[in-house]
Structure formats: C-alpha cells, structure tokens
C-alpha cells in the first residue's frame, strides 16, 4: 500500500497536503481500496465554509456511501471537477488526479495535529487486524 511521506493523514483516511495556507484533501489509497469502485463523488461548492472534523462531502461506491471529513477549518477555494464525470479517478490515482478539494485554512495550526506517514501506516496496520 502506498503512503506518501510528504502528506499528512487523518483517522478517517483522508490525506492532506499543506502548501502555505491552502490544504489539498483527498482520500487515501487504503480508503479507496476499502470502498471499492467509486461511482459518485459528492463535493461541496466553491466558497463553502467547512469545519474541522465535520463532513464536507461523500464518496459512493458499489459497496457503500462514505462521508468525507474536513481535517481543517476554512473555505473551499477549489473542487476537483474531474470527479463529477470520472469519480473512479479516486480509485485510479488517489494521491494525484483523485484529490477532492482545496481549502483556504482559517487556522493553519490545525494541520499540526494530523498524522505523518509513519503514524498513519501504524494506524492502518492496527485497524486491519
């Protein structure tokens, strides 16, 4: 399983890439594998406010619907329009073209509480038992 070392992670299996005050968010390869074939991505609107630990959207697969939780508080500045027509991109490239939203963080220090790749790998290993 691929867990890039330049990203941060949540216990809800989202990944976060922080660049300045902007956080790009997607779901991890582990989450995409657990969901199976993703057939629909529900994303927030641009300029929508999101709150840390609250849902900002959902991914629907042939198995289930899974809520996505924002790891930071802020405003959505960009959504990945590709997912509207090609939600399977999340399965194919979860850390690249399968990103979901970009959020302008109101408090960048919130990202400090996220897991690094080693902590996330340990978390997944424990959860997989």
């Amino acid at each position: 399983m691929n867990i890039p070392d330049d990203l941060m992670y949540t216990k809800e299996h989202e990944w976060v890439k922080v660049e300045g005050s902007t956080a790009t968010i997607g779901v991890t390869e582990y989450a995409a594998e657990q969901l199976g074939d993703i057939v629909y991505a529900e994303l927030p609107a641009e300029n929508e406010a999101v709150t840390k630990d609250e849902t900002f959207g959902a991914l629907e697969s042939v198995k289930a619907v899974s809520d996505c939780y924002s790891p930071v508080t802020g405003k959505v500045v960009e959504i990945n329009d590709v997912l509207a027509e090609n939600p399977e991109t999340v399965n194919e490239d979860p850390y690249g073209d399968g990103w979901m939203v970009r959020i302008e963080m109101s408090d960048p220090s919130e990202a400090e509480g996220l897991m690094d790749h080693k902590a996330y790998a340990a978390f997944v290993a424990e959860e997989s038992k």
Side-chain angles (χ1 to χ4, degrees):
M1 176 178 38
N2 183 20
I3 302 175
D5 62 6
D6 62 334
L7 303 175
M8 303 299 285
Y9 300 90
T10 71
K11 290 183 177 180
E12 290 76 31
H13 306 287
E14 280 92 20
W15 60 262
V16 183
K17 182 173 185 137
V18 176
E19 297 172 295
S21 61
T22 303
T24 301
I25 300 164
V27 297
T28 65
E29 182 178 295
Y30 175 81
E33 288 173 1
Q34 295 300 306
L35 278 168
D37 294 336
I38 295 169
V39 296
Y40 180 73
E42 177 187 323
L43 300 176
E46 286 188 14
N47 297 314
E48 188 173 317
V50 294
T51 304
K52 181 178 178 4
D53 299 328
E54 298 291 324
T55 60
F56 70 81
L59 293 174
E60 184 176 337
S61 72
V62 293
K63 292 183 184 178
V65 175
S66 181
D67 286 334
C68 298
Y69 296 88
S70 183
V72 295
T73 299
K75 179 178 77 171
V76 176
V77 292
E78 188 177 358
I79 60 169
N80 188 349
D81 292 329
V82 169
L83 302 184
E85 295 293 322
N86 300 293
E88 68 279 1
T89 305
V90 174
N91 295 106
E92 295 163 358
D93 190 12
Y95 300 116
D97 292 339
W99 65 275
M100 297 175 70
V101 296
R102 289 199 171 102
I103 296 172
E104 185 71 28
M105 297 181 286
S106 55
D107 181 4
S109 70
E110 287 179 333
E112 294 169 11
L114 301 172
M115 291 181 275
D116 66 11
H117 71 286
K118 289 180 183 174
Y120 181 69
F123 176 74
V124 169
E126 186 63 31
E127 194 172 80
S128 299
K129 286 184 178 176

